């Protein structure tokens, strides 16, 4: 109604807003940042905002905006190729991209971002964001990326929002739990588990699934 032309928000905000059955033509630019952009949300954004350029931003609190992409894969430009590197799947940023602060904990002039990425190509360096290093859930020695499980849940089409998190367990150390906001009343836990077993390893499947009205991220 107000003919808004630019929107900048997190993927969570857009997932709460979507799906929308009508197309919105006034928006010229959609900026997404702060979290991993899943493919389903990106596809829905393109369907709704038909005239908008969609920009996926990778930024850190310390360095500000580092890279931008029109999809989930980031390409390090030539002028930054010596200032960005990946070590053991973790993204490192050279101090030359950082401001002046005594709070930076550098490793030989490099700042460990705590962000885990999947390398698509080495030259040029192209990568896909996976998760925050401290978000990985250890389940009996197996590593679970909660964002991967959230993406799978949302991709089922019957779940509007999902939050996956660990719960302490005396045997496994942690178990995977999920709070979900459903978009269809026909969703059941047995049905969800059946769908999840077709696309996730057993240790990644949530052992506790809670149906909630809103997600509490605290």
């Amino acid at each position: 109604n107000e003919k808004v032309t630019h929107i900048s928000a997190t993927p969570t905000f857009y997932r709460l807003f979507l799906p929308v059955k009508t197309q919105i033509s006034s928006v010229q630019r959609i900026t997404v940042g702060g979290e991993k952009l899943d493919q389903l949300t990106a596809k829905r954004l393109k369907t709704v905002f038909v005239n908008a350029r969609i920009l996926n931003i990778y930024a850190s609190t310390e360095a500000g905006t580092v890279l931008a992409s029109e999809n989930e894969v980031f390409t390090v430009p030539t002028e930054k190729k010596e200032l960005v590197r990946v070590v053991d799947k973790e993204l490192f940023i050279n101090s030359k991209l950082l401001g002046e602060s005594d709070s930076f904990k550098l490793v030989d002039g490099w700042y460990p971002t705590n962000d885990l990425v999947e390398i698509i190509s080495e030259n040029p360096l192209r990568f896909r964001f996976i998760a925050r290093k401290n978000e990985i859930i250890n389940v009996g020695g197996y590593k679970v990326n909660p964002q991967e499980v959230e993406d799978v849940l949302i991709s089922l089409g019957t779940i509007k929002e999902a939050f996956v998190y660990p719960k302490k367990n005396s045997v496994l150390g942690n178990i995977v739990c999920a709070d979900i906001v459903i978009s269809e009343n026909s969703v059941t836990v047995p049905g969800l588990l059946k769908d999840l077993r077709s696309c996730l390893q057993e240790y990644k499947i949530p052992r506790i699934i809670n149906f909630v009205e809103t997600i509490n991220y605290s």
Side-chain angles (χ1 to χ4, degrees):
N1 291 338
E2 301 299 329
K3 303 300 180 184
V4 170
T5 58
H6 292 67
I7 304 174
S8 179
T10 64
T12 295
F13 173 89
Y14 292 117
R15 285 195 293 267
L16 289 171
F17 174 73
L18 299 169
V20 176
K21 295 182 180 179
T22 58
Q23 293 183 335
I24 301 174
S25 59
S26 65
V27 178
Q28 301 171 15
R29 172 72 65 86
I30 291 287
T31 302
V32 188
E35 301 169 345
K36 176 185 174 182
L37 175 60
D38 59 279
Q39 293 185 6
L40 179 60
T41 300
K43 182 179 179 181
R44 287 177 171 174
L45 286 172
K46 291 178 181 178
T47 301
V48 175
F49 301 102
V50 291
N51 295 326
R53 182 188 179 194
I54 299 175
L55 204 60
N56 185 17
I57 298 294
Y58 174 78
S60 71
T61 303
E62 298 77 17
T65 300
V66 178
L67 298 169
S69 173
E70 294 189 358
N71 52 50
E72 65 173 355
V73 177
F74 293 93
T75 301
V76 179
T78 303
E79 65 270 19
K80 290 184 179 180
K81 69 177 183 179
E82 303 298 331
L83 303 176
V84 178
R85 65 169 56 164
V86 178
V87 180
D88 295 330
K89 295 186 177 181
E90 183 176 359
L91 188 68
F92 282 72
I93 298 174
N94 192 277
S95 60
K96 293 179 181 178
L97 289 177
L98 302 175
E100 295 292 336
S101 174
D102 294 333
S103 64
F104 295 144
K105 296 180 180 179
L106 302 178
V107 179
D108 295 329
W110 292 85
Y111 177 74
T113 64
N114 202 35
D115 289 325
L116 299 178
V117 301
E118 175 190 0
I119 294 178
I120 306 301
S121 68
E122 295 283 356
N123 190 20
L125 178 59
R126 301 171 67 242
F127 65 85
R128 179 187 294 111
F129 177 79
I130 299 175
R132 295 287 289 174
K133 194 174 181 179
N134 57 5
E135 291 175 348
I136 299 298
I137 303 171
N138 190 324
V139 180
Y142 292 99
K143 301 299 188 293
V144 179
N145 176 4
Q147 292 194 0
E148 176 190 0
V149 182
E150 290 172 7
D151 287 350
V152 170
L153 284 166
I154 293 172
S155 71
L156 297 177
T158 55
I159 296 173
K160 186 174 183 180
E161 191 177 1
F163 175 50
V164 174
Y165 57 94
K167 182 177 181 181
K168 293 294 183 182
N169 180 271
S170 59
V171 177
L172 297 174
N174 295 284
I175 57 172
V176 179
C177 303
D179 292 349
I180 61 172
V181 179
I182 60 175
S183 57
E184 296 182 12
N185 293 330
S186 60
V187 177
T188 65
V189 171
L192 279 178
L193 293 177
K194 181 180 178 180
D195 291 338
L196 292 173
R197 288 192 178 100
S198 68
C199 47
L200 283 176
Q201 293 98 323
E202 189 67 26
Y203 64 89
K204 296 180 181 179
I205 296 175
R207 294 297 179 261
I208 299 175
I209 299 178
N210 301 309
F211 291 74
V212 299
E213 294 294 329
T214 58
I215 299 291
N216 181 6
Y217 290 99
S218 61

